[in-house]
Amino acid sequence: MFEVRRSIRRLRQDPHWEHRRRATAADVGLGTRGYPFTLGSGTDRLYDLARGQVAGRDAVLAHLLVAPAAPSRGGALHDFSLVALDLPRALPATAVTPRRLAAKWRGERSWPIPPGLWQRRPLPGGGPGAHVERVCADYEFGELLITDRLKQLTVAADCGWRIDGARLIGWTDGRRPYEELVALAERLDLLVAAFPAAVWQWRGWS
């Protein structure tokens, strides 16, 4: 916790980042009808939100505090660390979550992407796909997007991510120092760079 606080102080002193002590998702145009916001009851709060650039992309870094959605998890609040990167264009809603995180929150009444847009389909067994769970609004788009390379990059980043219009939202559990969030943003930038070229010409549902 002390390292997190020190990282926040360093962030405030960095002229390349705009800092806000408290904010809402709406303040920065983030959709809340998907992970990690839906892992709580909807009473989410963003703390120490920072706006700047990572690898030439507009980026948002923040800590997210949510109240539990299910009574079985007790009254404890849940901490997440969140990164959002701008994408060149809006794409169909898609979520990919490493099994470590998916298993931790299985049983919660939560939606990886907005409800009503998707159906669960199992991934083939074995290989990198054995370590991730995928949910997509457009199955054909998901088949195009989620290559073995993207699965490997997701596992290496140890975070969940989803496409929210023209944003990629990445998240992980816990309240991480901001140097770790910048590093996560850099790993997500590598992931976006690995999107197949045909993704950017997609003319299906969006």
Side-chain angles (χ1 to χ4, degrees):
M1 183 60 70
F2 290 116
E3 182 52 40
V4 171
R5 290 174 182 170
R6 285 194 290 265
S7 76
I8 293 169
R9 285 197 294 269
R10 290 191 291 268
L11 183 79
R12 288 173 177 168
Q13 296 167 359
D14 189 334
H16 296 99
W17 290 95
E18 173 193 342
H19 175 265
R20 294 182 63 173
R21 178 70 183 91
R22 296 186 183 184
T24 67
D27 290 336
V28 285
L30 294 178
T32 58
R33 301 178 74 228
Y35 284 168
F37 299 94
T38 49
L39 293 169
S41 62
T43 55
D44 54 87
R45 288 171 283 177
L46 291 173
Y47 287 94
D48 295 303
L49 182 142
R51 300 182 73 165
Q53 286 203 334
V54 173
R57 296 185 192 276
D58 288 339
V60 172
L61 317 177
H63 292 138
L64 173 67
L65 187 66
V66 299
S72 62
R73 299 202 58 95
L77 298 175
H78 305 318
D79 281 310
F80 298 101
S81 293
L82 176 147
V83 169
L85 297 180
D86 281 5
L87 298 175
R89 56 158 291 192
L91 295 171
T94 306
V96 177
T97 309
R99 192 156 293 174
R100 177 185 74 80
L101 292 172
K104 183 172 182 178
W105 300 104
R106 189 176 288 116
E108 294 279 14
R109 291 172 292 180
S110 57
W111 300 89
I113 60 177
L117 291 182
W118 59 278
Q119 294 180 337
R120 289 190 182 276
R121 298 205 186 193
L123 287 169
H131 302 290
V132 298
E133 293 189 354
R134 174 185 60 191
V135 175
C136 38
D138 188 310
Y139 188 67
E140 291 184 5
F141 176 80
E143 288 290 284
L144 173 66
L145 174 68
I146 310 302
T147 61
D148 282 349
R149 176 62 176 156
L150 253 64
K151 296 172 191 174
Q152 292 163 354
L153 288 169
T154 300
V155 172
D158 192 30
C159 75
W161 57 268
R162 69 179 172 96
I163 295 173
D164 174 42
R167 282 266 182 74
L168 183 81
I169 298 175
W171 63 278
T172 191
D173 51 348
R175 199 167 178 231
R176 309 297 179 94
Y178 275 79
E179 288 80 4
E180 289 188 24
L181 291 188
V182 171
L184 176 56
E186 291 170 343
R187 291 193 292 270
L188 289 174
D189 174 68
L190 292 176
L191 187 144
V192 173
F195 280 15
V199 163
W200 306 113
Q201 281 77 50
W202 182 256
R203 290 293 180 266
W205 184 94
S206 61

